[in-house]
Amino acid sequence: MYTITAITDSGEWNALVEDLKGHPLQKWGWGELKSAHNWNATRLLVAKDGQPVAAAQVLHRHLPIPFKSLSHVPRGPVFADALTGADRTAIIDDIVAWVKKNVGGVGITIETDLDATDAVAVTGGVPSPNPILYPTTLILDTTVTEDELMAQASKTTRYDIRKGAKNNLDIRRVESDEDLEKVLFTYRENAHRAGFALHDDSYYRDLHHMLGEDSYLVACFHEGEVASFVWLARSGQTYWELYASANDAGRKLRANAPVKWYAIMQAKADGAPRYDMNGLLNDGISEFKRSFSKHENELQPSVDVAFSPLYSVWNKALPTAKKVIRKVRG
């Protein structure tokens, strides 16, 4: 019923993802970023009767022998609106079969951008014991008015946004390499204070350049330095938060809310109907995210399909491997 073709042209691929209202993690630049850092990417067009109906950027992580690799579909596949749940299931099954035949490895993790209530299944799929993305999130509908978006926020967040406007905080998009380095300095400073791990700076520089216009970085500047920032990946459909941080000056200025609000307003101005906070947990950062609305969104959970008996061995070994890596980096 469906034909699958690998796409190797960036312009053709990005146009396809945008036509299908895809997630920014399905854009070409995200695959290039991951390919520069221990992964590689395959872009698959799914067609029926010669017409595109779906697409999937599949990332492949190199693993030690004998595991070979693990594949991952981040917030994909992306589907044509007219497809039924049965259509989506059949397409996912065909993509899984293609990856198993042409890539192999221990298995594949699929993390769609579909709502938990959408009818879709993965044949042979099991809940992933090591999910990469969080299904519980907060997605703002930016098609409503600015006043309606503001009304969803908590009283404190509304106050901080309005105070930031009143005080004329210097909030703007980061575009130059010089300002990017200021962002990375603030990020490293806060990570050291809070005790969380970061990628090497080269990863963030590559993100800024390889995503191009699909990278959207906003910062509040204070006395020539970055006091607070929020960094997103974006497509025509979705603004998706990647990172955010603030130093002591940013916290004193209460700049986090005005900076995030600036990005939300840019999503609205660009016509992107979804602003995704990218995951909610039970921590302070998530509580801040929740202050922008009174609802939560539940996406489809992460699903694994095993290609090899080594799948279960790898999943059991992964948490220990992560602890070792963090200890070595620390």
Side-chain angles (χ1 to χ4, degrees), residues 12-48:
E12 180 183 358
W13 179 257
N14 281 338
L16 174 63
V17 173
E18 292 292 0
D19 286 345
L20 295 172
K21 302 178 183 176
H23 193 277
L25 296 193
Q26 286 290 299
K27 297 292 291 291
W28 186 275
W30 187 257
E32 291 300 281
L33 170 69
K34 305 310 286 187
S35 294
H37 296 272
N38 302 316
W39 297 73
N40 55 34
T42 302
R43 289 95 175 182
L44 301 177
L45 161 65
V46 183
K48 180 179 179 181

mmCIF file of all heavy atoms in Angstrom, residues 12-48:
data_model
loop_
_atom_site.group_PDB
_atom_site.id
_atom_site.type_symbol
_atom_site.label_atom_id
_atom_site.label_comp_id
_atom_site.label_asym_id
_atom_site.label_seq_id
_atom_site.Cartn_x
_atom_site.Cartn_y
_atom_site.Cartn_z
ATOM 1 N N GLU A 12 14.029 19.702 -0.145
ATOM 2 C CA GLU A 12 12.882 18.829 -0.379
ATOM 3 C C GLU A 12 12.341 18.295 0.943
ATOM 4 O O GLU A 12 11.120 18.256 1.156
ATOM 5 C CB GLU A 12 13.285 17.672 -1.291
ATOM 6 C CG GLU A 12 12.151 16.703 -1.604
ATOM 7 C CD GLU A 12 12.616 15.523 -2.459
ATOM 8 O OE1 GLU A 12 13.813 15.483 -2.835
ATOM 9 O OE2 GLU A 12 11.776 14.647 -2.736
ATOM 10 N N TRP A 13 13.258 17.904 1.835
ATOM 11 C CA TRP A 13 12.826 17.339 3.109
ATOM 12 C C TRP A 13 12.104 18.376 3.975
ATOM 13 O O TRP A 13 11.033 18.110 4.515
ATOM 14 C CB TRP A 13 14.008 16.759 3.882
ATOM 15 C CG TRP A 13 13.573 16.200 5.200
ATOM 16 C CD1 TRP A 13 13.709 16.746 6.439
ATOM 17 C CD2 TRP A 13 12.855 14.975 5.387
ATOM 18 N NE1 TRP A 13 13.141 15.958 7.391
ATOM 19 C CE2 TRP A 13 12.605 14.856 6.776
ATOM 20 C CE3 TRP A 13 12.410 13.969 4.532
ATOM 21 C CZ2 TRP A 13 11.924 13.765 7.314
ATOM 22 C CZ3 TRP A 13 11.732 12.886 5.073
ATOM 23 C CH2 TRP A 13 11.491 12.791 6.443
ATOM 24 N N ASN A 14 12.695 19.545 4.126
ATOM 25 C CA ASN A 14 12.069 20.567 4.975
ATOM 26 C C ASN A 14 10.709 20.995 4.442
ATOM 27 O O ASN A 14 9.774 21.235 5.217
ATOM 28 C CB ASN A 14 12.993 21.778 5.118
ATOM 29 C CG ASN A 14 14.095 21.552 6.129
ATOM 30 O OD1 ASN A 14 13.972 20.702 7.014
ATOM 31 N ND2 ASN A 14 15.172 22.300 6.014
ATOM 32 N N ALA A 15 10.584 21.082 3.120
ATOM 33 C CA ALA A 15 9.287 21.427 2.530
ATOM 34 C C ALA A 15 8.249 20.351 2.845
ATOM 35 O O ALA A 15 7.084 20.652 3.140
ATOM 36 C CB ALA A 15 9.424 21.604 1.017
ATOM 37 N N LEU A 16 8.673 19.094 2.802
ATOM 38 C CA LEU A 16 7.774 17.985 3.107
ATOM 39 C C LEU A 16 7.310 18.046 4.567
ATOM 40 O O LEU A 16 6.116 17.909 4.865
ATOM 41 C CB LEU A 16 8.484 16.659 2.834
ATOM 42 C CG LEU A 16 7.748 15.377 3.219
ATOM 43 C CD1 LEU A 16 6.465 15.224 2.415
ATOM 44 C CD2 LEU A 16 8.659 14.163 3.008
ATOM 45 N N VAL A 17 8.258 18.257 5.496
ATOM 46 C CA VAL A 17 7.905 18.319 6.912
ATOM 47 C C VAL A 17 6.958 19.480 7.192
ATOM 48 O O VAL A 17 5.978 19.348 7.932
ATOM 49 C CB VAL A 17 9.176 18.432 7.786
ATOM 50 C CG1 VAL A 17 8.814 18.681 9.252
ATOM 51 C CG2 VAL A 17 10.020 17.163 7.666
ATOM 52 N N GLU A 18 7.221 20.620 6.571
ATOM 53 C CA GLU A 18 6.341 21.773 6.776
ATOM 54 C C GLU A 18 4.949 21.528 6.181
ATOM 55 O O GLU A 18 3.932 21.879 6.782
ATOM 56 C CB GLU A 18 6.964 23.035 6.182
ATOM 57 C CG GLU A 18 8.204 23.528 6.911
ATOM 58 C CD GLU A 18 7.929 24.061 8.306
ATOM 59 O OE1 GLU A 18 6.759 24.059 8.756
ATOM 60 O OE2 GLU A 18 8.895 24.460 8.976
ATOM 61 N N ASP A 19 4.894 20.908 5.004
ATOM 62 C CA ASP A 19 3.591 20.609 4.387
ATOM 63 C C ASP A 19 2.758 19.690 5.271
ATOM 64 O O ASP A 19 1.521 19.800 5.318
ATOM 65 C CB ASP A 19 3.782 19.964 3.012
ATOM 66 C CG ASP A 19 4.235 20.950 1.951
ATOM 67 O OD1 ASP A 19 4.138 22.172 2.197
ATOM 68 O OD2 ASP A 19 4.700 20.504 0.881
ATOM 69 N N LEU A 20 3.426 18.792 5.981
ATOM 70 C CA LEU A 20 2.739 17.848 6.855
ATOM 71 C C LEU A 20 2.588 18.382 8.284
ATOM 72 O O LEU A 20 2.174 17.638 9.172
ATOM 73 C CB LEU A 20 3.486 16.510 6.869
ATOM 74 C CG LEU A 20 3.520 15.742 5.543
ATOM 75 C CD1 LEU A 20 4.441 14.538 5.639
ATOM 76 C CD2 LEU A 20 2.116 15.303 5.135
ATOM 77 N N LYS A 21 2.935 19.651 8.485
ATOM 78 C CA LYS A 21 2.815 20.314 9.794
ATOM 79 C C LYS A 21 3.624 19.580 10.853
ATOM 80 O O LYS A 21 3.153 19.297 11.961
ATOM 81 C CB LYS A 21 1.337 20.410 10.217
ATOM 82 C CG LYS A 21 0.458 21.166 9.228
ATOM 83 C CD LYS A 21 -0.989 21.175 9.672
ATOM 84 C CE LYS A 21 -1.887 21.858 8.654
ATOM 85 N NZ LYS A 21 -3.327 21.797 9.036
ATOM 86 N N GLY A 22 4.871 19.303 10.493
ATOM 87 C CA GLY A 22 5.723 18.497 11.362
ATOM 88 C C GLY A 22 6.402 19.264 12.475
ATOM 89 O O GLY A 22 6.454 20.491 12.494
ATOM 90 N N HIS A 23 6.949 18.495 13.394
ATOM 91 C CA HIS A 23 7.649 19.005 14.572
ATOM 92 C C HIS A 23 9.063 19.446 14.189
ATOM 93 O O HIS A 23 9.676 18.889 13.264
ATOM 94 C CB HIS A 23 7.705 17.886 15.615
ATOM 95 C CG HIS A 23 8.101 18.329 16.977
ATOM 96 N ND1 HIS A 23 9.422 18.493 17.355
ATOM 97 C CD2 HIS A 23 7.362 18.648 18.064
ATOM 98 C CE1 HIS A 23 9.463 18.875 18.618
ATOM 99 N NE2 HIS A 23 8.222 18.983 19.076
ATOM 100 N N PRO A 24 9.647 20.435 14.897
ATOM 101 C CA PRO A 24 11.014 20.866 14.560
ATOM 102 C C PRO A 24 12.067 19.770 14.711
ATOM 103 O O PRO A 24 13.107 19.833 14.038
ATOM 104 C CB PRO A 24 11.278 22.022 15.533
ATOM 105 C CG PRO A 24 10.207 21.947 16.565
ATOM 106 C CD PRO A 24 9.033 21.319 15.914
ATOM 107 N N LEU A 25 11.825 18.769 15.546
ATOM 108 C CA LEU A 25 12.796 17.674 15.654
ATOM 109 C C LEU A 25 12.778 16.774 14.425
ATOM 110 O O LEU A 25 13.616 15.882 14.301
ATOM 111 C CB LEU A 25 12.532 16.838 16.908
ATOM 112 C CG LEU A 25 12.691 17.548 18.248
ATOM 113 C CD1 LEU A 25 12.716 16.532 19.378
ATOM 114 C CD2 LEU A 25 13.923 18.435 18.299
ATOM 115 N N GLN A 26 11.829 17.019 13.519
ATOM 116 C CA GLN A 26 11.796 16.300 12.249
ATOM 117 C C GLN A 26 12.418 17.110 11.112
ATOM 118 O O GLN A 26 12.508 16.616 9.985
ATOM 119 C CB GLN A 26 10.363 15.911 11.896
ATOM 120 C CG GLN A 26 9.817 14.759 12.728
ATOM 121 C CD GLN A 26 10.486 13.431 12.387
ATOM 122 O OE1 GLN A 26 10.420 12.957 11.264
ATOM 123 N NE2 GLN A 26 11.148 12.828 13.377
ATOM 124 N N LYS A 27 12.861 18.332 11.406
ATOM 125 C CA LYS A 27 13.480 19.165 10.368
ATOM 126 C C LYS A 27 14.915 18.694 10.091
ATOM 127 O O LYS A 27 15.572 18.064 10.916
ATOM 128 C CB LYS A 27 13.475 20.643 10.794
ATOM 129 C CG LYS A 27 12.090 21.251 10.972
ATOM 130 C CD LYS A 27 11.328 21.396 9.660
ATOM 131 C CE LYS A 27 11.890 22.439 8.733
ATOM 132 N NZ LYS A 27 11.712 23.832 9.214
ATOM 133 N N TRP A 28 15.403 19.028 8.922
ATOM 134 C CA TRP A 28 16.722 18.598 8.464
ATOM 135 C C TRP A 28 17.834 19.005 9.433
ATOM 136 O O TRP A 28 18.730 18.216 9.749
ATOM 137 C CB TRP A 28 16.995 19.179 7.085
ATOM 138 C CG TRP A 28 18.264 18.696 6.448
ATOM 139 C CD1 TRP A 28 19.524 19.194 6.628
ATOM 140 C CD2 TRP A 28 18.400 17.599 5.536
ATOM 141 N NE1 TRP A 28 20.429 18.483 5.885
ATOM 142 C CE2 TRP A 28 19.760 17.501 5.196
ATOM 143 C CE3 TRP A 28 17.493 16.714 4.959
ATOM 144 C CZ2 TRP A 28 20.239 16.541 4.313
ATOM 145 C CZ3 TRP A 28 17.968 15.756 4.073
ATOM 146 C CH2 TRP A 28 19.332 15.671 3.766
ATOM 147 N N GLY A 29 17.782 20.244 9.915
ATOM 148 C CA GLY A 29 18.848 20.749 10.771
ATOM 149 C C GLY A 29 19.034 19.942 12.037
ATOM 150 O O GLY A 29 20.162 19.772 12.520
ATOM 151 N N TRP A 30 17.928 19.438 12.603
ATOM 152 C CA TRP A 30 18.058 18.628 13.818
ATOM 153 C C TRP A 30 18.813 17.335 13.520
ATOM 154 O O TRP A 30 19.668 16.896 14.307
ATOM 155 C CB TRP A 30 16.687 18.315 14.412
ATOM 156 C CG TRP A 30 16.790 17.639 15.747
ATOM 157 C CD1 TRP A 30 16.616 16.327 16.018
ATOM 158 C CD2 TRP A 30 17.117 18.267 16.998
ATOM 159 N NE1 TRP A 30 16.804 16.087 17.360
ATOM 160 C CE2 TRP A 30 17.116 17.255 17.977
ATOM 161 C CE3 TRP A 30 17.398 19.583 17.374
ATOM 162 C CZ2 TRP A 30 17.387 17.520 19.326
ATOM 163 C CZ3 TRP A 30 17.667 19.846 18.711
ATOM 164 C CH2 TRP A 30 17.665 18.826 19.664
ATOM 165 N N GLY A 31 18.538 16.740 12.388
ATOM 166 C CA GLY A 31 19.267 15.541 11.998
ATOM 167 C C GLY A 31 20.737 15.812 11.768
ATOM 168 O O GLY A 31 21.604 14.994 12.117
ATOM 169 N N GLU A 32 21.050 16.985 11.194
ATOM 170 C CA GLU A 32 22.450 17.357 10.981
ATOM 171 C C GLU A 32 23.167 17.557 12.309
ATOM 172 O O GLU A 32 24.326 17.167 12.478
ATOM 173 C CB GLU A 32 22.526 18.629 10.138
ATOM 174 C CG GLU A 32 22.098 18.442 8.696
ATOM 175 C CD GLU A 32 22.956 17.415 7.974
ATOM 176 O OE1 GLU A 32 24.084 17.764 7.571
ATOM 177 O OE2 GLU A 32 22.501 16.257 7.815
ATOM 178 N N LEU A 33 22.492 18.200 13.258
ATOM 179 C CA LEU A 33 23.076 18.403 14.587
ATOM 180 C C LEU A 33 23.400 17.061 15.229
ATOM 181 O O LEU A 33 24.521 16.847 15.717
ATOM 182 C CB LEU A 33 22.104 19.188 15.469
ATOM 183 C CG LEU A 33 22.468 19.266 16.950
ATOM 184 C CD1 LEU A 33 23.704 20.115 17.155
ATOM 185 C CD2 LEU A 33 21.292 19.799 17.772
ATOM 186 N N LYS A 34 22.438 16.152 15.250
ATOM 187 C CA LYS A 34 22.671 14.862 15.895
ATOM 188 C C LYS A 34 23.722 14.061 15.144
ATOM 189 O O LYS A 34 24.504 13.321 15.763
ATOM 190 C CB LYS A 34 21.364 14.072 15.988
ATOM 191 C CG LYS A 34 20.220 14.804 16.680
ATOM 192 C CD LYS A 34 20.608 15.408 18.014
ATOM 193 C CE LYS A 34 20.757 14.368 19.101
ATOM 194 N NZ LYS A 34 20.970 15.000 20.435
ATOM 195 N N SER A 35 23.790 14.232 13.814
ATOM 196 C CA SER A 35 24.789 13.511 13.023
ATOM 197 C C SER A 35 26.199 13.986 13.332
ATOM 198 O O SER A 35 27.176 13.239 13.146
ATOM 199 C CB SER A 35 24.504 13.683 11.527
ATOM 200 O OG SER A 35 23.285 13.067 11.169
ATOM 201 N N ALA A 36 26.332 15.216 13.795
ATOM 202 C CA ALA A 36 27.640 15.742 14.177
ATOM 203 C C ALA A 36 28.048 15.296 15.578
ATOM 204 O O ALA A 36 29.183 15.569 16.000
ATOM 205 C CB ALA A 36 27.640 17.265 14.093
ATOM 206 N N HIS A 37 27.123 14.622 16.280
ATOM 207 C CA HIS A 37 27.385 14.245 17.676
ATOM 208 C C HIS A 37 26.883 12.823 17.957
ATOM 209 O O HIS A 37 25.901 12.616 18.678
ATOM 210 C CB HIS A 37 26.742 15.265 18.617
ATOM 211 C CG HIS A 37 27.314 16.636 18.488
ATOM 212 N ND1 HIS A 37 28.417 17.073 19.198
ATOM 213 C CD2 HIS A 37 26.967 17.671 17.660
ATOM 214 C CE1 HIS A 37 28.711 18.314 18.857
ATOM 215 N NE2 HIS A 37 27.849 18.703 17.928
ATOM 216 N N ASN A 38 27.576 11.861 17.332
ATOM 217 C CA ASN A 38 27.431 10.431 17.641
ATOM 218 C C ASN A 38 26.179 9.753 17.089
ATOM 219 O O ASN A 38 25.910 8.595 17.433
ATOM 220 C CB ASN A 38 27.498 10.189 19.158
ATOM 221 C CG ASN A 38 28.790 10.698 19.760
ATOM 222 O OD1 ASN A 38 29.868 10.488 19.209
ATOM 223 N ND2 ASN A 38 28.691 11.390 20.881
ATOM 224 N N TRP A 39 25.397 10.443 16.266
ATOM 225 C CA TRP A 39 24.249 9.825 15.619
ATOM 226 C C TRP A 39 24.410 9.970 14.109
ATOM 227 O O TRP A 39 25.310 10.657 13.638
ATOM 228 C CB TRP A 39 22.940 10.513 16.027
ATOM 229 C CG TRP A 39 22.569 10.444 17.465
ATOM 230 C CD1 TRP A 39 23.147 11.115 18.504
ATOM 231 C CD2 TRP A 39 21.514 9.668 18.050
ATOM 232 N NE1 TRP A 39 22.526 10.813 19.685
ATOM 233 C CE2 TRP A 39 21.513 9.933 19.441
ATOM 234 C CE3 TRP A 39 20.561 8.800 17.535
ATOM 235 C CZ2 TRP A 39 20.606 9.336 20.318
ATOM 236 C CZ3 TRP A 39 19.650 8.208 18.407
ATOM 237 C CH2 TRP A 39 19.679 8.475 19.787
ATOM 238 N N ASN A 40 23.536 9.359 13.341
ATOM 239 C CA ASN A 40 23.332 9.759 11.948
ATOM 240 C C ASN A 40 21.843 9.693 11.650
ATOM 241 O O ASN A 40 21.064 9.180 12.462
ATOM 242 C CB ASN A 40 24.173 8.946 10.957
ATOM 243 C CG ASN A 40 23.961 7.459 11.103
ATOM 244 O OD1 ASN A 40 22.866 6.998 11.409
ATOM 245 N ND2 ASN A 40 25.020 6.681 10.895
ATOM 246 N N ALA A 41 21.449 10.261 10.530
ATOM 247 C CA ALA A 41 20.028 10.448 10.245
ATOM 248 C C ALA A 41 19.647 9.858 8.905
ATOM 249 O O ALA A 41 20.392 9.960 7.922
ATOM 250 C CB ALA A 41 19.682 11.934 10.279
ATOM 251 N N THR A 42 18.470 9.249 8.862
ATOM 252 C CA THR A 42 17.836 8.801 7.628
ATOM 253 C C THR A 42 16.475 9.471 7.528
ATOM 254 O O THR A 42 15.716 9.488 8.504
ATOM 255 C CB THR A 42 17.641 7.272 7.625
ATOM 256 O OG1 THR A 42 18.907 6.630 7.802
ATOM 257 C CG2 THR A 42 17.020 6.812 6.316
ATOM 258 N N ARG A 43 16.171 10.073 6.370
ATOM 259 C CA ARG A 43 14.876 10.739 6.181
ATOM 260 C C ARG A 43 14.040 9.930 5.199
ATOM 261 O O ARG A 43 14.449 9.712 4.053
ATOM 262 C CB ARG A 43 15.063 12.158 5.654
ATOM 263 C CG ARG A 43 15.649 13.129 6.678
ATOM 264 C CD ARG A 43 17.145 13.259 6.576
ATOM 265 N NE ARG A 43 17.666 14.288 7.501
ATOM 266 C CZ ARG A 43 18.942 14.615 7.584
ATOM 267 N NH1 ARG A 43 19.843 14.026 6.809
ATOM 268 N NH2 ARG A 43 19.331 15.543 8.438
ATOM 269 N N LEU A 44 12.865 9.511 5.667
ATOM 270 C CA LEU A 44 12.036 8.602 4.892
ATOM 271 C C LEU A 44 10.718 9.261 4.498
ATOM 272 O O LEU A 44 9.957 9.723 5.352
ATOM 273 C CB LEU A 44 11.742 7.337 5.705
ATOM 274 C CG LEU A 44 12.970 6.535 6.172
ATOM 275 C CD1 LEU A 44 12.531 5.356 7.023
ATOM 276 C CD2 LEU A 44 13.803 6.070 4.980
ATOM 277 N N LEU A 45 10.457 9.276 3.204
ATOM 278 C CA LEU A 45 9.181 9.736 2.657
ATOM 279 C C LEU A 45 8.269 8.531 2.473
ATOM 280 O O LEU A 45 8.666 7.528 1.861
ATOM 281 C CB LEU A 45 9.405 10.439 1.320
ATOM 282 C CG LEU A 45 8.182 10.593 0.398
ATOM 283 C CD1 LEU A 45 7.138 11.507 1.045
ATOM 284 C CD2 LEU A 45 8.599 11.122 -0.964
ATOM 285 N N VAL A 46 7.060 8.628 2.991
ATOM 286 C CA VAL A 46 6.061 7.576 2.819
ATOM 287 C C VAL A 46 4.996 8.104 1.863
ATOM 288 O O VAL A 46 4.409 9.170 2.097
ATOM 289 C CB VAL A 46 5.419 7.182 4.161
ATOM 290 C CG1 VAL A 46 4.437 6.032 3.950
ATOM 291 C CG2 VAL A 46 6.489 6.792 5.177
ATOM 292 N N ALA A 47 4.757 7.375 0.785
ATOM 293 C CA ALA A 47 3.796 7.814 -0.227
ATOM 294 C C ALA A 47 2.765 6.716 -0.493
ATOM 295 O O ALA A 47 3.027 5.526 -0.294
ATOM 296 C CB ALA A 47 4.518 8.183 -1.520
ATOM 297 N N LYS A 48 1.600 7.147 -0.959
ATOM 298 C CA LYS A 48 0.546 6.236 -1.393
ATOM 299 C C LYS A 48 0.017 6.746 -2.725
ATOM 300 O O LYS A 48 -0.362 7.917 -2.837
ATOM 301 C CB LYS A 48 -0.590 6.183 -0.363
ATOM 302 C CG LYS A 48 -1.717 5.242 -0.750
ATOM 303 C CD LYS A 48 -2.802 5.216 0.316
ATOM 304 C CE LYS A 48 -3.933 4.280 -0.090
ATOM 305 N NZ LYS A 48 -5.014 4.265 0.931
#
